Amino acid sequence: MEKQTFYRGRFSVAPMLDWTTRHCRYFHRQFSQEALLYTEMVTTGAILHAKYDHLLFSAEEGAVALQLGGSQPEELAHCAKLAQERGYAEVNLNVGCPSDRVQNGFFGACLMAKADLVAESVKRMQDAVSIPVTVKTRIGIDDFDSYEFLTDFIQKVHQAGCQEFIVHARKAWLSGLSPKENREIPPLNYERVYQLKKDFPALWISINGGIKTIEEMQRHLQYVDGVMVGREAYQNPAILGFVDKMLFDEQAKIVTPLEAVEKMFPYIEKQLSQGVKLNHMTNALLGAFQHCKGARQYRRHISENAYKPNAGVEVLEEALAFVK
């Protein structure tokens, strides 16, 4: 059977600060060849002024989207151009993060109240690059949580040329709740995202928020174009091993956690030779055997040994003995 061609963002792993590092993305790629992977959110200021290379990634990571945080159209356009030059598959604008630090920098979810600015930013970015420019947003902020508010925002940004939106199906409270609470307390409203797809059928709409199983993903894909999974993909990465077969190609192979971890060995050895510490690479691997016998011992062995001087892949080999 000929493989069906799907929308690039049919399945993606959400940008997560301090979690979706380049080492994490490489690990996730061992599970799925089809997933669109996202960087952590990177601010335009960090890209333009920091000494560290915040755009560093490897072609071995496959299709990766850079998520940008910022609100200055000219800076966003410049950073988008840099991202394209480095080989990123997509540039995404963060209009969903509600943290105080992000708001103080005037980007993230607070930009939902500045649809004209978001529209201008998207237009400037699209003028600068040929790769897709997308927007990740919430369904509302504070008391601006009507469906009309959401559609007005989508309409204005779409008119500026944006064709793809990833919508976290919760509103955000800009004050009074922590980022963690903003991921849990505002109720999920999947129906509102479904309605958005009905009312804007020409747009690519992906849904995000509280999605944990393949069955839930399949159900959402009856109503929208894509699903984005966040913490579940990081804390229980084994779920990624089913993505290619269940969401893209029934002939694809299911990848086990053991296979994915063992595929990491050459990468880890290469990174170690370049001075990267083992514990900087193993955090993303800790949840690999979430529901397997021996998972606790596996995690403990890595946690207790990966930070030691000269720790190498033997730490992982020893840890795997607990779950094999």
Side-chain angles (χ1 to χ4, degrees), residues 74-134:
E74 65 280 0
E75 292 183 355
L76 288 165
H78 182 60
C79 290
K81 187 175 180 181
L82 294 175
Q84 177 170 282
E85 291 171 353
R86 296 291 287 273
Y88 283 92
E90 172 186 307
V91 178
N92 176 266
L93 180 61
N94 184 327
V95 190
C97 182
S99 78
D100 292 340
R101 184 170 65 84
V102 166
Q103 289 182 63
N104 291 337
F106 193 56
F107 52 92
C110 63
L111 289 179
M112 280 200 81
K114 302 289 183 180
D116 292 334
L117 177 58
V118 174
E120 180 187 356
S121 299
V122 165
K123 185 177 187 309
R124 293 284 293 274
M125 293 163 75
Q126 289 190 318
D127 288 345
V129 300
S130 58
I131 58 176
V133 175
T134 66

Side-chain angles (χ1 to χ4, degrees), residues 60 66 105 157 162:
E60 296 169 317
L66 171 69
V157 180
C162 186

Side-chain angles (χ1 to χ4, degrees), residues 40-91:
E40 308 166 84
M41 183 195 68
V42 185
T43 66
T44 54
I47 292 172
L48 297 174
H49 306 299
K51 294 180 180 179
Y52 176 76
D53 182 5
H54 286 274
L55 294 180
L56 186 63
F57 94 112
S58 166
E60 296 169 317
E61 297 171 33
V64 177
L66 171 69
Q67 187 183 64
L68 285 175
S71 58
Q72 297 296 321
E74 65 280 0
E75 292 183 355
L76 288 165
H78 182 60
C79 290
K81 187 175 180 181
L82 294 175
Q84 177 170 282
E85 291 171 353
R86 296 291 287 273
Y88 283 92
E90 172 186 307
V91 178

Side-chain angles (χ1 to χ4, degrees), residues 124-150:
R124 293 284 293 274
M125 293 163 75
Q126 289 190 318
D127 288 345
V129 300
S130 58
I131 58 176
V133 175
T134 66
V135 170
K136 186 173 189 293
T137 187
R138 294 277 185 140
I139 59 173
I141 51 172
D142 295 338
D143 293 325
F144 298 101
D145 61 352
S146 68
Y147 184 65
E148 291 71 27
F149 173 78
L150 176 61

